[in-house]
């Protein structure tokens, strides 16, 4: 059994970040270690949520792990709340990187053409330096635009996306996976680029005309869990994309579906069938 470390915040209610990553990756048969960067009562779409920063706990945790000779087959980062956390995680990469493991960064900081309220362009530039140390990065188009300096566009062609992937590759990661890509009305997909082989891969499915919090975390966690099952990045993308869409469909069909996230739990049997575990 492989062991993955995922580093991101935990919203006690909210179906995102660690409350998505831990169950999904574990369900896929991969041991999942965690570093919670902060604890929130709910995710930030709720009002009056509580927040406890855990930045000071990260280095003591990793120091203990080093004393126990604990290592990881993959390290996967999601939402990081400050530039200080990025610096600490960058050092963690240096300490735990091996010739055989993978570092995967989901640079969670922006969507729909805008940075999240807590972040600015200096934060985006700092996140780009973290992506430089990764083997695989998984930004959306907005996050990629801030890290590459390209103009954000809602209407674009394939040349624009390939240029964006090329610029992402120049940051340093071997594989760049760009989410939320659509070349035709009614479809939505993911395009990846392997710079060592100069190879692009595009996968699309029917666009579901709704939006839920946490679906990016579901995609990234499923993608990482699939890699932990020895699938290639090109094999992992369709599984992660289809499972995310399935979770949205299940939520739409549920009259009592929760507004703050999707029914990813209900979709786990589908995921296990897709990956050959049922």
């Amino acid at each position: 059994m492989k062991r993955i470390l995922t580093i991101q915040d935990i919203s006690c209610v909210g179906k995102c970040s660690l409350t998505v990553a831990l169950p999904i990756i574990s369900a896929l048969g991969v041991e999942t270690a965690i570093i919670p960067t902060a604890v929130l009562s709910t995710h930030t779409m709720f009002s009056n949520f509580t927040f406890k920063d855990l930045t000071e706990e990260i280095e003591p945790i990793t120091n203990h792990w080093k004393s126990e000779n604990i290592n990881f087959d993959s390290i996967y980062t999601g939402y990081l709340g400050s530039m200080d956390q990025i610096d600490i995680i960058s050092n963690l990469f240096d300490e735990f990187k091996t010739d055989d493991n993978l570092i995967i960064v989901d640079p969670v900081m922006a969507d729909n053409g805008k940075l999240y309220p807590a972040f600015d362009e200096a934060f985006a530039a700092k996140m780009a330096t973290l992506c430089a140390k990764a083997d695989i990065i998984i930004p959306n188009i907005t996050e990629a635009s801030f890290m590459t300096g390209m103009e954000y566009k809602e209407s674009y062609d394939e040349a624009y996306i390939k240029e964006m992937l090329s610029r992402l590759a120049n940051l340093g990661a071997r594989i760049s996976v760009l989410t939320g890509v659509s070349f035709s009305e009614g479809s939505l997909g993911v395009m990846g680029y392997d710079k060592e082989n100069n190879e692009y891969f595009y996968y699309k499915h029917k666009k579901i005309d709704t939006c839920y919090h946490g679906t990016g975390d579901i995609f990234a966690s499923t993608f990482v869990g699939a890699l932990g099952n020895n699938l290639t990045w090109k094999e992992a993308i369709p599984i992660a994309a289809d499972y995310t869409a399935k979770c949205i469909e299940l939520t739409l069909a549920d009259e009592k579906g929760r507004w703050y996230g999707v029914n990813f739990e209900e979709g786990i049997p589908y995921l296990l069938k897709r990956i050959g575990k049922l």
Side-chain angles (χ1 to χ4, degrees):
M1 181 185 294
K2 291 189 175 181
R3 180 193 291 135
I4 288 174
L5 167 63
T6 181
I7 308 166
Q8 46 193 310
D9 68 282
I10 183 164
S11 296
C12 298
V13 171
K15 300 193 181 192
C16 63
S17 302
L18 282 180
T19 52
V20 164
L22 179 56
I24 289 177
I25 297 172
S26 297
L28 289 171
V30 181
E31 180 185 349
T32 312
I34 65 170
I35 291 181
T37 56
V39 177
L40 294 82
S41 55
T42 65
H43 64 55
T44 56
M45 296 296 288
F46 286 81
S47 300
N48 304 316
F49 59 88
T50 66
F51 177 89
K52 177 64 175 179
D53 183 82
L54 296 177
T55 301
E56 293 183 356
E57 299 300 320
I58 298 173
E59 289 182 317
I61 290 170
T62 57
N63 288 338
H64 180 222
W65 286 346
K66 285 186 289 184
S67 72
E68 297 287 342
N69 294 315
I70 293 171
N71 50 45
F72 305 98
D73 296 288
S74 295
I75 302 171
Y76 153 45
T77 67
Y79 182 94
L80 302 175
S82 67
M83 294 174 74
D84 286 343
Q85 285 190 355
I86 293 177
D87 284 333
I88 292 169
I89 301 309
S90 179
N91 291 333
L92 183 153
F93 287 173
D94 294 338
E95 292 171 349
F96 286 90
K97 178 62 178 171
T98 69
D99 292 338
D100 300 319
N101 66 8
L102 288 175
I103 292 176
I104 303 111
V105 173
D106 181 3
V108 182
M109 59 180 173
D111 206 357
N112 299 315
K114 297 180 180 179
L115 288 162
Y116 294 154
F119 301 143
D120 56 19
E121 292 191 7
F123 182 89
K126 176 69 78 169
M127 183 63 78
T129 67
L130 191 69
C131 287
K133 291 188 172 184
D135 297 292
I136 303 173
I137 57 175
I138 318 172
N140 60 35
I141 293 175
T142 302
E143 291 155 351
S145 70
F146 278 104
M147 290 194 297
T148 62
M150 286 184 68
E151 177 188 1
Y152 171 78
K153 295 182 179 181
E154 294 186 358
S155 179
Y156 48 79
D157 57 13
E158 187 172 322
Y160 170 84
I161 295 298
K162 286 186 172 181
E163 172 67 17
M164 183 168 279
L165 284 166
S166 177
R167 293 196 190 189
L168 286 171
N170 288 338
L171 296 178
R174 180 171 64 87
I175 295 169
S176 302
V177 176
L178 193 59
T179 62
V181 176
S182 176
F183 297 125
S184 60
E185 187 174 348
S187 70
L188 189 66
V190 180
M191 180 172 272
Y193 176 59
D194 180 341
K195 71 177 181 181
E196 289 185 0
N197 297 305
N198 192 29
E199 180 181 16
Y200 293 92
F201 175 80
Y202 180 58
Y203 180 78
K204 67 178 181 179
H205 54 73
K206 181 181 177 181
K207 183 178 181 180
I208 304 170
D209 196 18
T210 189
C211 182
Y212 285 106
H213 194 87
T215 52
D217 297 333
I218 291 171
F219 175 88
S221 299
T222 307
F223 178 81
V224 171
L227 295 177
N229 279 267
N230 299 315
L231 299 183
T232 68
W233 67 276
K234 290 188 291 184
E235 292 170 330
I237 284 175
I239 292 171
D242 289 347
Y243 173 58
T244 304
K246 181 68 172 179
C247 294
I248 294 171
E249 290 175 348
L250 290 168
T251 309
L252 284 172
D254 183 357
E255 294 181 357
K256 297 182 180 180
R258 292 164 172 79
W259 63 268
Y260 54 80
V262 298
N263 295 10
F264 77 90
E265 304 94 336
E266 189 180 359
I268 285 177
Y270 165 86
L271 174 60
L272 298 183
K273 289 178 182 177
R274 280 293 303 270
I275 209 162
K277 290 189 174 291
L278 278 183

